[in-house]
Amino acid sequence: MGIDVTAVDALGGEVLDWRFKAVPASAHGMTVAEAGEARLPLDDFGTPLLTLDAGALAHNVQTMARWTRDAALLLAPHGKTTMAPALWRRQLDAGAWGITVANLPQLRVARAFGVRRVMYASTLLDPAGLAWLSGELDGDPEFEFLSWVDSVRSVELMDEALRAARSQRQVDVCVELGGPGGRTGVRDDGDAREIAAAVREARTLRLVGIGGYEGALAHDASERGRASVDAYLRRLGNLHARLEYELDEPILTVGGSAYFDQVAEVLGGAGGRVVLRSGAYVVHDDGFYRGISPFARGTDGERLRSAMHAWARVISQPEPGLALLDVGKRDVPFDEGLPTPQLVRGKGPLEGGRITVLNDQHAFLRDTTAEIGDVVRLGLSHPCTALDKWTMIPVVDDADASHPVVVDYVRTFF
């Protein structure tokens, strides 16, 4: 087991109260487990509200697990998408190789729940953080950790901090390769080889692979965008073949949730262990990822399903053609597209309607048949900026039902 199941199960004992904005007063005083068993109707919950769909979550976890298995790839889903150990457990139970994190607070959450194998998809330079990591590694022989470096200076700083901490175990690192206009990652192949040499010379570090992020180089499924991803992946594979690693099965890690089909096609035979870090798939969406996911672009297999929805009430119709909903930027994502109205709970599909503006606590719904008091279900775009707004998320049996029932709750730790 790649996670401490006792720690995850203990989340069921947390008492629900006013701290969790999604939880109705009628559930205050119940534990999470008791509230799940009570199967409260969604009608009892206030608005605004974010929910997850039980069937969609299960479908997405199994669909991605099956696809990566068939493609002979390993999967270390990015935990930052959900920051929900209960969902990480599902992913690990389905065969995930490990969990990816992006910063030190996320790493601390992973270790608090006993995640055994963690990829740190960044460079950890904080001396206090490295000292803490050293203690984690030295205190738990089963804990596997690897991070990235993209400069000789980063190698020097890590080595200095780990020496100061008197680290007993080496820290595994991958050289990170970037691309023009991308984020982090060394740009020049010659510099990458120098970084690799510096890692091999550092007593506290071990060179175990190469990594990067192709999603920083494209943002759509156009021919030009996909060509830039292919070019980057080929370059990554070529550099991978030229580096000298310090273990028999080196790691080559790439892969967001938009181009993992290309990763399989270009790097599937690269040698060593190819590790995808796709994270958005478990929740998916009705916006950006629905349009760009390989499953929507013709990749064989079942499509992913959006597991997240927002629910908001029409609280005002101050002028013709305009309705105001009690949901805003504090509640739903908006960086990759505005929410889309889908249905009115208890009445069925919504005829017309579009969200044009989000304020902090209000949404402007135009051209709709919804009436004051109606609860509108909204499709959302970008799970990575949705779940971080909610610390306790109800899971419904079926978001398409006329009157969904809440069967579980997901605790997040952002």
Side-chain angles (χ1 to χ4, degrees):
M1 177 60 66
I3 196 169
D4 184 347
V5 296
T6 300
V8 176
D9 287 343
L11 293 172
E14 187 163 16
V15 176
L16 299 174
D17 56 26
W18 56 267
R19 294 171 299 159
F20 307 111
K21 67 179 183 178
V23 176
S26 60
H28 289 183
M30 293 183 182
T31 65
V32 170
E34 290 169 344
E37 292 174 358
R39 298 179 63 86
L40 300 174
L42 194 63
D43 291 343
D44 285 1
F45 288 68
T47 55
L49 182 66
L50 180 81
T51 63
L52 295 171
D53 182 281
L57 287 173
H59 168 82
N60 293 345
V61 168
Q62 292 302 321
T63 295
M64 193 64 174
R66 184 166 49 250
W67 188 90
T68 51
R69 185 170 57 248
D70 292 345
L73 303 176
L74 298 174
L75 178 63
H78 214 316
K80 72 177 175 64
T81 299
T82 65
M83 288 306 296
L87 296 183
W88 296 351
R89 177 183 178 179
R90 294 193 193 188
Q91 293 168 299
L92 290 164
D93 285 348
W97 178 79
I99 295 295
T100 298
V101 299
N103 58 33
L104 186 59
Q106 294 171 11
L107 175 59
R108 291 186 189 277
V109 173
R111 288 304 293 155
F113 286 88
V115 177
R116 292 297 183 192
R117 183 183 285 126
V118 180
M119 181 181 297
Y120 190 95
S122 186
T123 303
L124 179 55
L125 296 180
D126 174 59
L130 285 165
W132 172 82
L133 172 65
S134 174
E136 290 291 300
L137 288 168
D138 292 346
D140 185 355
E142 296 184 1
F143 175 36
E144 298 180 40
F145 172 88
L146 65 155
S147 68
W148 300 354
V149 290
D150 69 355
S151 69
V152 171
R153 182 57 178 157
S154 296
V155 173
E156 294 170 347
L157 290 171
M158 290 186 71
D159 186 48
E160 290 173 9
L162 290 168
R163 284 176 182 270
R166 298 182 180 180
S167 179
Q168 299 301 305
R169 287 179 61 187
Q170 290 179 304
V171 172
D172 290 345
V173 296
C174 295
V175 174
E176 181 192 2
L177 180 69
R183 292 196 310 225
T184 54
V186 61
R187 303 305 201 239
D188 181 80
D189 289 13
D191 291 342
R193 291 192 290 272
E194 290 183 12
I195 296 166
V199 173
R200 291 194 299 270
E201 293 174 3
R203 178 180 61 81
T204 61
L205 304 177
R206 183 173 70 150
L207 184 65
V208 300
I210 187 170
Y213 177 49
E214 76 291 345
L217 305 176
H219 201 68
D220 56 42
S222 68
E223 183 176 345
R224 180 178 180 180
R226 298 190 66 195
S228 68
V229 168
D230 276 346
Y232 170 76
L233 294 174
R234 287 193 294 269
R235 183 182 167 213
L236 190 70
N238 289 336
L239 182 59
H240 172 63
R242 297 200 302 273
L243 295 184
E244 297 179 12
Y245 301 109
E246 298 180 85
L247 77 171
D248 294 334
E249 286 190 290
I251 289 167
L252 196 167
T253 176
V254 283
S257 298
Y259 307 105
F260 52 79
D261 56 333
Q262 293 174 249
V263 172
E265 182 177 348
V266 177
L267 298 176
R273 292 170 288 177
V274 180
V275 182
L276 287 177
R277 303 188 309 276
S278 311
Y281 76 90
V282 65
V283 174
H284 200 50
D285 69 9
D286 281 311
F288 176 72
Y289 284 111
R290 181 183 64 182
I292 202 171
S293 167
F295 291 112
R297 292 190 278 102
T299 296
D300 292 339
E302 297 181 84
R303 292 194 174 198
L304 300 174
R305 294 160 48 188
S306 179
M308 65 175 182
H309 301 92
W311 305 83
R313 197 176 308 271
V314 178
I315 59 171
S316 177
Q317 289 182 315
E319 59 188 59
L322 173 64
L324 276 299
L325 305 179
D326 62 350
V327 68
K329 295 178 181 179
R330 303 289 182 92
D331 313 299
V332 294
F334 55 92
D335 57 314
E336 292 289 356
L338 294 173
T340 56
Q342 296 177 328
L343 58 80
V344 174
R345 192 165 72 208
K347 293 184 177 180
L350 184 65
E351 296 182 12
R354 56 195 174 91
I355 302 293
T356 58
V357 176
L358 283 183
N359 292 164
D360 282 355
Q361 314 287 179
H362 296 89
F364 288 65
L365 175 60
R366 301 277 182 179
D367 306 325
T368 180
T369 58
E371 301 174 344
I372 291 178
D374 283 343
V375 175
V376 178
R377 192 185 82 183
L378 301 172
L380 305 175
S381 180
H382 202 199
C384 297
T385 52
L387 276 66
D388 64 323
K389 298 170 176 59
W390 300 84
T391 53
M392 188 72 73
I393 306 174
V395 180
V396 299
D397 58 345
D398 182 1
D400 291 328
S402 179
H403 295 282
V405 171
V406 175
V407 296
D408 197 2
Y409 298 80
V410 168
R411 182 71 156 94
T412 66
F413 295 88
F414 285 94

